[in-house]
Structure formats: C-alpha cells, structure tokens
Amino acid sequence: MGLASDLKILYHLALKPVRGKDHAARMESFYAGQAEAYDDFRKRLLKGRQELWNLIQAPEGGTWIDLGGGTGANLDYFGERLGKLSKVYILDLSHSLLEIAKKRIAAKSWTNVETVEADATTFQPAGGPVDVVTFSYSLTMIPDWFAAIENALAMLRPDGVIGVVDFYVSRKYPTDGLARHGWPTRTFWPTWFAMDNVFPSPDHVPYLHKRFDVLHFEEHKAKVPYVPFLRMPYYLFVGRKRT
Ligand SMILES: C[S@@+](CC[C@H](N)C(=O)[O-])C[C@H]1O[C@@H](n2cnc3c(N)ncnc32)[C@H](O)[C@@H]1O
C-alpha cells in the first residue's frame, strides 16, 4: 500500500459526496469504494486499538461482540486469546467492509468468528447475553449513540465488560480529573470530522462514566496522517455493567 492507495482514501474522506436515504445506505456509500484500502490507512489514523484489546480479558468460553467492527481488523489484536472465546461477532452496517472481514476469517480459518450485518442500536444476539462488547471508532459514527450504548448494556451479562476507543472532545468545563480541551480543539475537530459523518462528542465520555463502573480510562492525542502539527484527542474506556 502506498501513495496511490492513500490518495484514494483521501479522495473518499475529503471529496467524494456521501449519499443515501438512511444511515445504513450512507455508511455503505462512504465505505464501498475504500474497503480494500481501509486497513492500511486506518492503522495510522485509529490509534489505541491494540492497547484497548490488551486491557480486556477474554473469558474462557466467553462471547465478545465488536460493534461497528468493519473489516474485522481488530481480530488481529486478540492474538492467542481468540481461541479461548467460544464466539466473536463482528457486527457492522457496511456490507463492503464485512466482505473484507469474511475474507480475513476464511484466510485465518477462524471457526469461532461470525460476521453480522445489522445495526448496533438494535441488534441482540440470539444466543443470549455476551461477556464483552467493544466499540472501536464506531460510537462517533453512530448518530443515535445513546441507543447504541443502551443496546450494548442490554446485550451484556451482569458484570459484563464494555471497551471503547474513539475520538472525542472534552466539555468546556469537564469533571475534575478529566482533560480540558481549548476552544480551537473543541471547535475544529468536530467540524472537520463531520464532513465524513464522524461526530467527536463532548458527551460520550461523561455518559460512559455515568452508565458503567469504570475499570480503566485514559486520554491521549494522536497525529492525523497528512495533517501536520495538529493532534486529535482520543480515549480508551473500559467499564463494567452494574449488577
Ligand atoms: C471508523 S469505522 C471503525 C471500524 C472498526 N471498528 C475499526 O476499528 O477499524 C466505523 C464503523 O462503524 C460502522 N457503523 C456506523 N454506524 C453503525 C451502526 N449503527 N451499526 C453498526 N455499525 C455501524 C461503520 O460502518 C464502520 O464500519
């Protein structure tokens, strides 16, 4: 993957209009033309995914659902732990990204991984509650993110674990102990990312803290490919469903 691949991705990120009558159609319109080149570019853009996966235990015989899991790139972050789980679901609305995930699953002969084309705000696994739910850079792309978090809570077993890694901006006056971003950060990044229907929010982090017992939380800033000098805030959150 080189400059030509990056240019294609940048065209989709910055220029190609996103069309569609509903959210699912808009996701597919955005991702269809960039599915093949997705993983290479996002490896440089979406930081902290391996770190999040390292923070979460894979319970022996347990189930894990990655909501908005796209190409299944996060499957590589499980390492040996993948074999301990009885089932891993990669759920996404984008058919094109799930096709890449299917190829990955077939190439690695993973028998305990399944793709699900569905909406993270409504899907419930037929097999009952799951042990772990993750969102990696998907919460900012789900317009009804309240519904996505509530649905994640509904699909988790008591004491089940949620892991989230994503872009965000702080509130103007965040709770003590949380990072405070200045006006340029709080204004620039939401405006920039909105072009691609990505909505870094000041409310995701407070809402996760409100709804779950916090096991781990960290805040960082990452470089964005081809955007010199600026740093985009992102966070890692691990929480437990209250019983
Ligand atoms: C930035 S991508 C991240 C993909 C993957 N988690 C990763 O880390 O590479 C966001 C993903 O969320 C998916 N998505 C957005 N809204 C969704 C929804 N309501 N239900 C399921 N997936 C959704 C998109 O199709 C896309 O694959």
Side-chain angles (χ1 to χ4, degrees):
M1 297 282 172
L3 186 62
S5 163
D6 277 5
L7 287 175
K8 186 176 181 183
I9 291 286
L10 290 171
Y11 163 72
H12 282 275
L13 292 179
L15 296 172
K16 185 179 173 289
V18 175
R19 304 200 193 285
K21 61 177 178 14
D22 57 22
H23 179 56
R26 285 190 285 276
M27 286 297 102
E28 183 56 14
S29 156
F30 180 59
Y31 283 117
Q34 49 169 319
E36 292 287 343
Y38 178 94
D39 284 338
D40 179 61
F41 192 85
R42 295 317 198 276
K43 213 169 249 179
R44 286 172 280 146
L45 178 66
L46 309 180
K47 300 292 184 192
R49 293 180 295 173
Q50 175 77 69
E51 289 79 358
L52 179 71
W53 256 244
N54 290 349
L55 287 166
I56 301 173
Q57 297 211 335
E60 191 83 47
T63 43
W64 183 315
I65 179 158
D66 193 22
L67 295 171
T71 62
N74 295 330
L75 290 165
D76 293 335
Y77 302 135
F78 282 101
E80 302 275 297
R81 295 172 297 162
L82 187 61
K84 283 174 65 179
L85 291 158
S86 68
K87 183 66 94 183
V88 176
Y89 297 100
I90 303 296
L91 177 139
D92 206 281
L93 272 181
S94 165
H95 182 79
S96 305
L97 294 186
L98 287 178
E99 286 301 307
I100 306 287
K102 282 182 196 163
K103 283 186 199 164
R104 188 190 304 273
I105 293 163
K108 301 270 175 100
S109 304
W110 285 318
T111 52
N112 57 345
V113 186
E114 203 176 294
T115 60
V116 183
E117 193 170 327
D119 193 321
T121 62
T122 52
F123 173 82
Q124 284 292 323
V130 300
D131 298 285
V132 181
V133 170
T134 41
F135 291 92
S136 89
Y137 291 94
S138 47
L139 214 47
T140 43
M141 285 200 92
I142 302 179
D144 194 350
W145 58 269
F146 288 103
I149 293 177
E150 293 305 314
N151 196 43
L153 263 169
M155 65 176 86
L156 274 173
R157 69 162 168 76
D159 281 333
V161 168
I162 185 171
V164 185
V165 56
D166 215 328
F167 298 126
Y168 78 117
V169 290
S170 79
R171 286 182 170 167
K172 183 174 180 184
Y173 302 111
T175 309
D176 284 351
L178 301 186
R180 181 175 180 184
H181 302 142
W183 178 83
T185 298
R186 286 186 282 112
T187 309
F188 173 74
W189 289 115
T191 309
W192 167 281
F193 274 99
M195 284 193 298
D196 293 328
N197 293 325
V198 176
F199 301 102
S201 165
D203 294 324
H204 291 181
V205 165
Y207 195 67
L208 288 165
H209 278 75
K210 185 179 165 69
R211 298 295 281 137
F212 295 89
D213 287 334
V214 182
L215 300 176
H216 187 90
F217 179 65
E218 50 186 276
E219 300 172 275
H220 298 284
K221 287 189 175 177
K223 285 185 189 169
V224 177
Y226 301 104
V227 183
F229 312 120
L230 301 181
R231 298 286 182 272
M232 175 68 207
Y234 70 97
Y235 68 90
L236 276 68
F237 178 92
V238 183
R240 176 173 288 135
K241 177 175 173 171
R242 296 192 185 112
T243 45

